[in-house]
Amino acid sequence: MTLTIENAIQQAEQTWHRLGVDKAAAAEMAEELSADLVAAADDGRSVTDYIGGDIAALATSWAVERDLLPAQHQRLRETAIAAASGAALPALFAVLLCWVSWSHLLDPCTGWGTGPDGEVLGCRTTVDAWWMWAGWVLCAAAAYGLVLRSVSCALADHQAAGREATRRQLIKTLPLIVPAAALVGGGIGLLGSIVFGYFAILAFPVALVAMPAAVAAGATWVRHRSCPPVDTTS
């Protein structure tokens, strides 16, 4: 697909919007880029040839060179959203495992009454099963990797200052944040079983929301602590 001047300007404006560049400054750069592209076309050069094939990289370099990136503490919102997004799927699987245990769907049963040796027969809850605990461990490991990747990509995508420092701190603190979030979800489930009894399933959606929210809060706190007070792009 041939890159036109209009498409190039649109992609550049999208990049500046993503980076948080002021609208007035973005409009001024768009006019300048449009004039450059028209002049290049008059000289017989294509848009792709003038830009070098990567309009996002060109737009980003312009914003960096002109010091137009916003104060980087405004990236706390992006950090929270990225962390919650990374934790959402592992939290869902963890809640599903809890539901399997709560519903006794896969409980191994030996029957009812008393066996020939006097042992009490019945159903053993799957919460005792090794695969249930292994599933929760895998959910925690997945949450660690997905949250770290999601936050790192979000900060890099916005050219956020101190992103490497934030990533290093997350590597150290996520092993604490993720289990803490799991405890929040487990506590909500336990409280739900006490308050609602048989209808404890009503607490499951609350736990599903609370766990990514707790991870987002922890990641945002790490970002706030690790982000330098000066605005840099390194």
Side-chain angles (χ1 to χ4, degrees), residues 210-224:
M211 286 189 285
V215 172
T220 304
W221 177 79
V222 170
R223 171 63 182 164
H224 178 73

Side-chain angles (χ1 to χ4, degrees), residues 47-71:
V47 175
T48 302
D49 181 51
Y50 179 83
I51 292 174
D54 193 344
I55 183 62
L58 176 65
T60 300
S61 66
W62 275 28
V64 172
E65 290 170 2
R66 302 183 186 196
D67 196 24
L68 294 176
L69 298 186

Side-chain angles (χ1 to χ4, degrees), residues 1 4 28 30 95 118 124 134 138 141-142 153 158 162 167 177 185 196 198 201 211 216 220 224:
M1 179 178 179
T4 64
E28 182 180 344
V95 169
R124 178 173 60 84
L138 288 176
C153 290
H158 290 86
R167 186 177 186 277
I177 294 174
F196 299 111
Y198 181 77
I201 193 173
M211 286 189 285
T220 304
H224 178 73

